[in-house]
Amino acid sequence: MKNDDILNDIDKKILVGSKMGVFNNPLGRKLQQLHGLGLLDPWAIGQINKRVDKQLRKEAFRAIPFKQPQLYSGELILGADEKHHPIKSPVQYMNAGSLLVANTGSGKTTLVSYYATQIAHRVKGMWLVDIRKKEFRLLKTEFSNMGIDLIIVRSRKFKINPLQVPYHVDPYEYASTIADVLVKVLNLPHRASVLLSSSIINMYKKFNILNGGQKYPTLFHLFEAVRNNRNANSQSRQAILDNLEAILLAFGTEMLGYYRGWPVHELAKRHIVFELTGQPEAGKDLVLNYLVVAEFISRISQGISNRPMDLWMSIDEGQRLFSQKKESIGHGGNSITDLAGLVRGIGAGLFVSVLTPDDLSNKIPAITSTKLIGRCGSIGDYNAAGQFMGLTKEQIFWCAHNMVPGMFVGQVSDGPWRYPFLYTVPKMKQLKVVTDHQADESLKSLDSLDVEPVEFSNWSANERIEVSNNTVHKTQRVVGLTDSEFRLLKAIVDNPMLSSSSYIKLAKISPNTLKKLRPIFIEKDFIKEHTVDSSTRGRSKRIWEPLDAGKQAIARIPQFNRSK
Amino acid sequence: MRGKAFHNRIAEETKTIFSNHHWQVYTEHRYRKNGITTYLDLFAIKGNQTIACEIETTIRHAIDNTLKAQVAGLVLWIIVPTRTLRRQIERKLESSGVTENRQSIKTILLSQVNTELNLL
């Protein structure tokens, strides 16, 4: 039996009107109540007809294929509908994962800034992460007008120790967690996780962390521990040394040389802009993964469950961070993706904005509940992003031809209205420029945090070897060799004039390491490269001749020689 | 050998290739003819055939060595490591007019020595 058979005209009007939200006011609700009780008089019927017909006419003449959102209450203004009426939602709708897909120049940062200024005074902590730009710092004046101190941490001003056990977390548990984080961000072989985990636990024992000590080992100590563990699986060990060395050299002791860095649970109570621009990509991953994972794991360990949002994190331009390719090629992508599904339960909101859904980790749309689309670059992007929120073909087609910067299609995570809706976000007024000096001044409010730097400031990844070398440039008095450099150079000295590829086996290094070290050795005058054309076509064979500087560098390491 | 490491390595490889083809090979060979004494990087003999080889890793001594071999009336193979150097030497020899008897002088890539010997 069809509904048509049993429903009269007024029933149908009530059903249609309810879907369109025409009874969402006191009189409307009373009309619904009267209908339910069968107490309709001609006036009430007239009211119902009038309301529904009016709305139907409105919808019929609407040029956009989106329903009028029934989002009229809440503290957060998402934007304005086509008649410039505000669309609102409770701030707690952001207490979950949110995903924004929009291409460059479509107003992503403006939208995040707009929300950040509204959410700022409703949460204890806010982390605005600028992965590629320096735009969030402009909010400093806006925040100070609201009485909120926005701290700006520039890329080289971090004081962190990823091996510092987060508040309320068991060191054993954290050792394996941070080992996994390091494996993922440094793109290490899976087996390296075991070596890292055991090395970290050994260091925790040595530093008395397991008995409540507060002087944590650093990544420099970890590097040394792995370097000295010559019995470890050589591939894992070499991979750790090679990749960690790059990070340690890039960041130095000024960023990572702290027995106790900034406690992450304290950072989570502050409004901070983290500027990662200028850091190496692996470095960005490390900093971000550490901060987010440390806070998440700390909250989980505290047994926090289903609490209101008190930390809002926004990761701008997170394309590379949540890359599907990286996730499939590497060893699981990044740790944030794994934990992002838990954000709601632990009172943290995670807002991720990306340029395109292409190459976006499949997990991200699945674990984010609020979804927003801005102007995208291609119909493919609209299709992919539209599927996340269930847009119809007509809606996707409309978006492809009508979206402009500042216009978004949204779908909120919670509440009775979960249809996609169209809205615009106002342009930000011209914000006051914040200089680097002002940014650094804002860091003073972190001075009160308990930080203990390491004693050494001139750490080098190299075992420092003095080589008084006349053939090397006069200013280059000290020549340092890393483990892989030593092995390659020794192989060249012991087996001179072979083709470069022969040294991969002889030195037991990877082709990538060989490629990396070649220009270094040539620059340092360790070797001279000759080319031999092996046939009438193709790349020339490279023959490496050890020079005096290289021979001396090897000759100056007798102890190391013996240990090999 | 009196050359540098790279020069010596090419000489060694060339010698090996000649030896593999059953040539008698002498390195740093002192050759005296027409009252002129000259030293050749390699001098190879097989039956009544002789080949003088000069290893060139730069263009610097190409003309001197060619003239030397011409005066001694030898068949000269100039062995070079790269195609670029071969092209440069050939141009230089042509422009200086020392290669009138083109049959007796060849500029050969190290990797082509084997093939050239097969063709003899």
Side-chain angles (χ1 to χ4, degrees):
Chain A
M1 189 183 285
K2 289 181 183 175
N3 281 349
D4 291 355
D5 301 335
I6 53 165
L7 298 177
N8 61 29
D9 287 351
I10 204 70
D11 293 336
K12 288 173 191 168
K13 285 275 168 76
I14 288 285
L15 285 173
V16 172
S18 302
K19 279 183 189 169
M20 292 188 297
V22 297
F23 301 119
N24 287 349
N25 66 356
L27 179 56
R29 282 189 284 275
K30 190 57 77 182
L31 288 169
Q32 276 183 310
Q33 195 181 356
L34 290 171
H35 169 261
L37 296 168
L39 298 174
L40 293 174
D41 62 0
W43 181 87
I45 291 169
Q47 277 293 316
I48 291 167
N49 280 328
K50 196 174 150 191
R51 279 175 177 240
V52 175
D53 291 349
K54 189 180 171 188
Q55 191 60 32
L56 280 172
R57 274 179 68 79
K58 266 189 192 173
E59 295 282 342
F61 280 97
R62 271 187 106 198
I64 56 171
F66 292 94
K67 290 184 179 180
Q68 177 73 29
Q70 305 299 314
L71 295 164
Y72 303 120
S73 62
E75 311 84 17
L76 177 67
I77 300 174
L78 294 170
D81 64 13
E82 78 264 28
K83 287 182 181 168
H84 309 290
H85 296 142
I87 299 170
K88 297 176 183 175
S89 83
V91 166
Q92 290 307 323
Y93 282 11
M94 289 286 173
N95 185 11
S98 307
L99 172 65
L100 166 61
V101 180
N103 78 349
T104 180
S106 55
K108 281 194 306 292
T109 313
T110 304
L111 179 131
V112 175
S113 303
Y114 181 60
Y115 291 174
T117 46
Q118 295 182 68
I119 297 171
H121 62 280
R122 298 186 182 275
V123 286
K124 270 189 198 165
M126 177 178 282
W127 291 354
L128 302 172
V129 184
D130 250 332
I131 293 187
R132 302 206 177 276
K133 296 186 280 186
K134 291 183 177 180
E135 287 187 325
F136 285 138
R137 64 160 66 182
L138 301 180
L139 293 171
K140 183 161 176 57
T141 319
E142 199 75 11
F143 274 49
S144 54
N145 289 341
M146 294 189 290
I148 296 169
D149 181 23
L150 184 65
I151 300 163
I152 299 158
V153 184
R154 295 199 295 133
S155 62
R156 296 201 62 80
K157 297 291 176 183
F158 286 82
K159 291 180 181 177
I160 55 169
N161 176 6
L163 299 187
Q164 181 175 345
V165 181
Y167 177 65
H168 224 280
V169 177
D170 176 49
Y172 281 107
E173 187 189 336
Y174 186 66
S176 55
T177 306
I178 196 67
D180 283 344
V181 169
L182 289 172
V183 165
K184 284 174 181 171
V185 299
L186 300 178
N187 207 12
L188 301 175
H190 188 65
R191 193 168 174 180
S193 173
V194 182
L195 175 58
L196 280 174
S197 189
S198 60
S199 302
I200 293 169
I201 288 175
N202 284 335
M203 282 196 302
Y204 281 167
K205 281 180 188 162
K206 195 173 154 191
F207 279 73
N208 207 26
I209 303 302
L210 303 176
N211 296 324
Q214 293 289 305
K215 197 172 174 177
Y216 300 96
T218 66
L219 287 181
F220 300 100
H221 295 98
L222 177 64
F223 183 89
E224 295 300 333
V226 175
R227 177 154 68 184
N228 293 329
N229 189 355
R230 296 193 191 278
N231 296 324
N233 174 265
S234 71
Q235 280 182 331
S236 305
R237 176 174 168 265
Q238 199 55 47
I240 294 168
L241 294 180
D242 286 350
N243 290 287
L244 194 55
E245 179 190 338
I247 297 280
L248 296 179
L249 285 176
F251 285 174
T253 46
E254 62 195 282
M255 283 177 69
L256 297 172
Y258 298 91
Y259 289 118
R260 279 191 306 280
W262 291 329
V264 179
H265 69 280
E266 286 293 335
L267 298 181
K269 294 174 188 166
R270 289 165 164 80
H271 294 72
I272 306 177
V273 173
F274 293 115
E275 289 181 350
L276 303 178
T277 323
Q279 290 181 357
E281 292 301 329
K284 289 176 185 176
D285 289 353
L286 175 66
V287 172
L288 204 50
N289 273 272
Y290 162 64
L291 290 172
V292 176
V293 169
E295 181 56 22
F296 279 10
I297 194 174
S298 169
R299 285 170 179 242
I300 292 165
S301 298
Q302 290 171 55
I304 293 169
S305 178
N306 286 337
R307 90 167 179 200
M309 179 171 75
D310 62 359
L311 172 66
W312 191 66
M313 292 177 265
S314 166
I315 300 175
D316 202 21
E317 309 276 1
Q319 193 70 50
R320 199 192 146 277
L321 192 68
F322 300 106
S323 159
Q324 175 70 33
K325 208 181 288 171
K326 198 178 152 204
E327 202 169 279
S328 51
I329 293 172
H331 303 275
N334 73 63
S335 303
I336 304 175
T337 319
D338 297 340
L339 291 169
L342 307 172
V343 289
R344 195 200 64 81
I346 57 174
L350 179 67
F351 192 101
V352 178
S353 71
V354 294
L355 281 171
T356 161
D358 182 39
D359 189 32
L360 180 66
S361 166
N362 291 334
K363 291 178 189 167
I364 293 298
I367 56 180
T368 49
S369 38
T370 295
K371 296 187 181 70
L372 312 170
I373 308 177
R375 186 195 63 185
C376 292
S378 69
I379 189 78
D381 286 355
Y382 284 112
N383 268 323
Q387 277 182 354
F388 299 159
M389 56 169 70
L391 296 190
T392 62
K393 277 187 181 173
E394 188 194 1
Q395 287 169 331
I396 290 171
F397 194 71
W398 188 92
C399 287
H401 294 95
N402 294 280
M403 292 293 271
V404 289
M407 184 184 279
F408 296 89
V409 175
Q411 183 190 31
V412 291
S413 64
D414 209 338
W417 185 268
R418 293 219 57 228
Y419 294 103
F421 57 90
L422 191 72
Y423 68 102
T424 52
V425 168
K427 267 187 182 177
M428 291 289 278
K429 61 183 180 186
Q430 196 67 35
L431 295 169
K432 204 176 161 189
V433 174
V434 177
T435 62
D436 286 350
H437 177 70
Q438 287 170 316
D440 294 346
E441 281 290 305
S442 71
L443 281 177
K444 281 185 179 167
S445 52
L446 295 180
D447 286 350
S448 58
L449 298 181
D450 176 28
V451 170
E452 185 182 353
V454 293
E455 306 85 12
F456 51 89
S457 60
N458 60 344
W459 181 87
S460 164
N462 311 323
E463 290 178 300
R464 294 178 79 80
I465 302 145
E466 293 281 336
V467 178
S468 50
N469 190 348
N470 296 330
T471 58
V472 177
H473 193 272
K474 280 179 185 172
T475 57
Q476 196 181 337
R477 303 274 313 161
V478 177
V479 179
L481 291 180
T482 63
D483 193 22
S484 49
E485 280 177 342
F486 172 79
R487 283 200 275 170
L488 178 59
L489 192 54
K490 190 165 188 314
I492 298 170
V493 170
D494 291 348
N495 309 279
M497 305 306 291
L498 295 182
S499 66
S500 56
S501 55
S502 318
Y503 295 113
I504 293 170
K505 272 193 176 177
L506 289 169
K508 292 177 183 167
I509 55 173
S510 70
N512 276 342
T513 311
L514 184 98
K515 196 174 158 190
K516 197 174 75 181
L517 295 180
R518 177 179 158 261
I520 297 171
F521 279 13
I522 292 170
E523 194 197 333
K524 287 183 177 175
D525 278 341
F526 283 170
I527 59 166
K528 187 174 179 185
E529 185 174 272
H530 305 283
T531 51
V532 174
D533 287 338
S534 50
S535 64
T536 49
R537 299 180 70 186
R539 186 174 73 77
S540 306
K541 198 158 74 172
R542 291 170 177 149
I543 306 288
W544 285 352
E545 177 191 349
L547 298 180
D548 288 344
K551 289 174 188 169
Q552 284 180 25
I554 292 297
R556 296 284 173 130
I557 321 168
Q559 289 170 347
F560 197 66
N561 264 332
R562 279 197 293 275
S563 74
K564 301 303 286 182
Chain B
M1 293 289 285
R2 290 180 300 177
K4 289 186 178 175
F6 188 45
H7 175 277
N8 296 350
R9 188 203 183 244
I10 296 175
E12 281 302 317
E13 267 195 47
T14 312
K15 185 182 172 184
T16 311
I17 297 166
F18 271 93
S19 301
N20 291 343
H21 285 78
H22 310 294
W23 287 71
Q24 188 73 39
V25 189
Y26 302 94
T27 51
E28 290 292 331
H29 183 67
R30 184 169 175 271
Y31 190 86
R32 188 180 169 85
K33 193 174 181 183
N34 302 334
I36 296 169
T37 305
T38 182
Y39 286 88
L40 301 163
D41 284 339
L42 293 175
F43 186 69
I45 303 172
K46 187 179 181 184
N48 58 355
Q49 284 181 302
T50 57
I51 297 174
C53 293
E54 281 294 340
I55 314 297
E56 300 294 350
T57 55
T58 64
I59 197 170
R60 207 177 306 141
H61 299 296
I63 291 186
D64 308 343
N65 287 334
T66 310
L67 286 171
K68 209 166 62 177
Q70 274 187 338
V71 170
L74 286 166
V75 172
L76 176 67
W77 284 11
I78 300 171
I79 314 290
V80 293
T82 62
R83 290 187 288 274
T84 314
L85 184 59
R86 182 179 63 183
R87 198 167 52 242
Q88 286 172 339
I89 288 176
E90 280 175 347
R91 279 187 191 153
K92 192 164 185 182
L93 293 178
E94 272 177 30
S95 63
S96 58
V98 295
T99 53
E100 285 168 13
N101 181 9
R102 290 197 58 96
Q103 291 295 319
S104 63
I105 299 170
K106 274 186 180 175
T107 313
I108 300 171
L109 272 178
L110 173 63
S111 59
Q112 291 175 326
V113 174
N114 197 34
T115 318
E116 290 290 330
L117 287 174
N118 284 332
L119 294 173
L120 285 176

